[in-house]
Amino acid sequence: MDCVWCEEKGAFETTTTVYWELPDGSRSIEITETPCIQCPSCGMNYQTEETIEEIENHFMMIDTKKLEKSLTFVEFLAVPTWLKKNYFNF
């Protein structure tokens, strides 16, 4: 896999811990075991656009006031939604 940052070969899929600010800006939460791409050439650790969109869309469909300070990616996506889809994503 090619790294989107340095364009070198050798990047691979793994997981990492990310910190995400809530949409209302009130605080951030830790999301562990989040899918990412890691590049041994440049050292970057980044999420794909699909993963970022999945996280952002889920934030818009849940009650963020009830979120724990830290949860896994799978636990985060399992938080029940209020909406069937993110109607704010144009």
Side-chain angles (χ1 to χ4, degrees):
M1 168 182 294
D2 292 345
C3 175
V4 299
W5 291 93
C6 70
E7 300 179 355
E8 293 290 327
K9 294 194 181 309
F12 58 93
E13 294 180 8
T14 187
T15 60
T16 192
T17 298
V18 297
Y19 300 89
W20 223 273
E21 184 177 345
L22 299 184
D24 66 4
S26 61
R27 63 186 175 107
S28 64
I29 65 165
E30 176 184 67
I31 306 173
T32 61
E33 301 174 28
T34 304
C36 73
I37 306 297
Q38 186 172 347
C39 178
S41 296
C42 69
M44 286 300 292
N45 218 355
Y46 59 93
Q47 285 68 50
T48 63
E49 290 298 322
E50 292 81 16
T51 301
I52 293 169
E53 187 173 319
E54 189 172 17
I55 292 170
E56 302 256 329
N57 280 334
H58 200 67
F59 268 126
M60 298 303 289
M61 298 186 299
I62 62 175
D63 183 2
T64 59
K65 291 178 177 51
K66 296 181 179 179
L67 286 176
E68 299 291 325
K69 292 181 180 182
S70 178
L71 56 160
T72 68
F73 183 73
V74 171
E75 291 170 337
F76 171 70
L77 292 181
V79 172
T81 60
W82 287 353
L83 304 169
K84 291 181 183 178
K85 69 175 199 170
N86 180 0
Y87 295 98
F88 304 103
N89 189 9
F90 302 106

